[in-house]
Amino acid sequence: MGTTKEVLEKLKGLDGPKLLAVVDGFGGRENLEAWLRGEKRIILEDIIRKLLDHTGRCIPAHLGVTNSVCDENRDFHIELSEFGYAEIRERLTDFFPKGTEFASANEFKDRAEALNEKYAEHELIGNFFKRARPILLPKHDARENYGASLQDFILPAVERAYKKQFPERKFVNYRDGKLVGKVSNIPGTAHDELVLLMAEKSVAAWYSPNPFQGFSIFAQREAMKILMQYGFALAGGVDTGTAAVAYMGEMARDFKTPVYTCSSLSWQSVDYSLCFRASDDEFYCGCADDLADAYDRSSGGLVLFR
């Protein structure tokens, strides 16, 4: 047993609540007594703190989030279809300007499936794929003027895709004429790295539209301190807009879809951001709600790209 000093050292800090926790950890006093008699044994295993739950939503406590979060409202939901790689690419080339560079369907498939193979069984982030689908981002340089890229390149493609999908509805850019020179990347979200890669080539990735549903924009950015270590970028406008073009029928279905915040971006000042929002008769790009508040319908996207 050791000397009195050694015993006291071993028992140091074990107050009443901790001793009760030990008993509970054994499953009750009876199991503890059986272990003391040598009739049972215990096996200690490391607890895997998954970063996303079984539905594909991020777990705030496991990501060290201290900013505002609320439960998601599953009345506002989306499930992206499982289109083939060639079909996704065809949807994109139909609505982006002629000559826009996209990787071939085979390249898209190879790169996307390599990412899936790398992470699908990952103990911490494998659940990401529960809500994620492949996305092919165009080669496009948004580094110098992100707002101009939205105004002149992304949003016109979104409008064309929306009008094709829903001819009786309208797409509205409520920030028309107010984007050029007024949109910036927020540091620490890895979105700048994705934008840099897009300037070099068409990027095959996986996109989840609502892994942060119920997280404030500040909470989403906070979570990226951990998530960016695993190949993720917090979605902005070029990726969310491209995803909307590819999956327009689902993302802009009706009012009961989530609000897609462009959480890695600021608009005009650090106090504002942008979003895409659907109703039963329109789909629009506008100003996001208060960055500090949690909304049960809203979520930024996650892009797995490396």
Side-chain angles (χ1 to χ4, degrees), residues 167-235:
E168 73 287 359
R169 303 184 192 178
K170 62 179 179 179
F171 175 79
V172 183
N173 174 11
Y174 283 106
R175 295 296 168 262
D176 188 27
K178 300 178 181 178
L179 293 171
V180 177
K182 297 181 180 180
V183 180
S184 302
N185 278 312
I186 295 295
T189 64
H191 190 69
D192 56 341
E193 298 176 33
L194 179 58
V195 169
L196 177 62
L197 192 60
M198 287 179 62
E200 300 173 357
K201 64 180 182 180
S202 173
V203 178
W206 289 78
Y207 170 79
S208 175
N210 62 330
F212 290 116
Q213 193 165 332
F215 284 58
S216 66
I217 289 179
F218 283 163
Q220 296 173 45
R221 294 172 180 174
E222 187 180 14
M224 291 309 298
K225 294 176 184 177
I226 292 177
L227 289 170
M228 62 191 297
Q229 300 174 33
Y230 297 95
F232 290 112
L234 184 59

Side-chain angles (χ1 to χ4, degrees), residues 9-252:
E9 184 63 29
K10 289 180 180 180
L11 295 176
K12 185 178 179 180
L14 288 177
D15 54 15
K18 289 182 180 179
L19 290 173
L20 288 173
V22 170
V23 174
D24 291 341
F26 274 87
R29 181 66 178 268
E30 183 177 338
N31 286 335
L32 175 58
E33 295 287 356
W35 174 74
L36 290 170
R37 293 193 299 268
E39 297 169 1
K40 290 188 176 182
R41 64 189 178 93
I42 61 171
I43 299 175
L44 298 178
E45 296 179 339
D46 290 333
I47 295 175
I48 304 300
R49 293 174 62 85
K50 294 181 181 293
L51 302 183
L52 299 96
D53 67 22
H54 68 284
T55 73
R57 181 177 185 260
C58 291
I59 302 174
H62 295 183
L63 290 164
V65 170
T66 59
N67 282 284
S68 182
V69 176
C70 67
D71 291 338
E72 65 178 337
N73 184 345
R74 293 299 292 153
D75 287 342
F76 297 93
H77 63 280
I78 177 174
E79 183 173 348
L80 299 182
S81 299
E82 295 187 4
F83 298 122
Y85 293 99
E87 184 176 357
I88 295 171
R89 186 183 185 280
E90 183 178 357
R91 285 167 173 258
L92 296 170
T93 57
D94 281 348
F95 299 112
F96 277 93
K98 185 177 181 180
T100 300
E101 184 176 326
F102 288 96
S104 70
N106 286 336
E107 290 175 315
F108 178 23
K109 178 181 179 181
D110 290 345
R111 296 180 199 168
E113 292 191 352
L115 284 170
N116 182 275
E117 184 177 348
K118 181 178 179 180
Y119 290 111
E121 301 301 322
H122 196 285
E123 291 180 321
L124 301 183
I125 66 168
N127 284 336
F128 165 74
F129 293 95
K130 297 294 180 64
R131 300 187 184 191
R133 295 293 183 270
I135 188 65
L136 184 61
L137 301 173
K139 180 181 179 182
H140 176 77
D141 194 348
R143 293 173 297 177
E144 293 301 318
N145 196 327
Y146 200 110
S149 291
L150 291 178
Q151 178 78 45
D152 302 329
F153 182 66
I154 296 294
L155 295 182
V158 173
E159 181 175 15
R160 287 189 287 269
Y162 185 68
K163 287 184 175 180
K164 176 71 173 180
Q165 184 75 38
F166 303 104
E168 73 287 359
R169 303 184 192 178
K170 62 179 179 179
F171 175 79
V172 183
N173 174 11
Y174 283 106
R175 295 296 168 262
D176 188 27
K178 300 178 181 178
L179 293 171
V180 177
K182 297 181 180 180
V183 180
S184 302
N185 278 312
I186 295 295
T189 64
H191 190 69
D192 56 341
E193 298 176 33
L194 179 58
V195 169
L196 177 62
L197 192 60
M198 287 179 62
E200 300 173 357
K201 64 180 182 180
S202 173
V203 178
W206 289 78
Y207 170 79
S208 175
N210 62 330
F212 290 116
Q213 193 165 332
F215 284 58
S216 66
I217 289 179
F218 283 163
Q220 296 173 45
R221 294 172 180 174
E222 187 180 14
M224 291 309 298
K225 294 176 184 177
I226 292 177
L227 289 170
M228 62 191 297
Q229 300 174 33
Y230 297 95
F232 290 112
L234 184 59
V238 294
D239 37 15
T240 304
T242 301
V245 173
Y247 297 96
M248 184 59 72
E250 296 88 344
M251 289 184 65

Side-chain angles (χ1 to χ4, degrees), residues 275-289:
C275 74
F276 291 88
R277 188 187 307 244
S279 68
D280 292 335
D281 58 5
E282 72 175 22
F283 188 47
Y284 71 81
C285 175
C287 188
D289 293 318

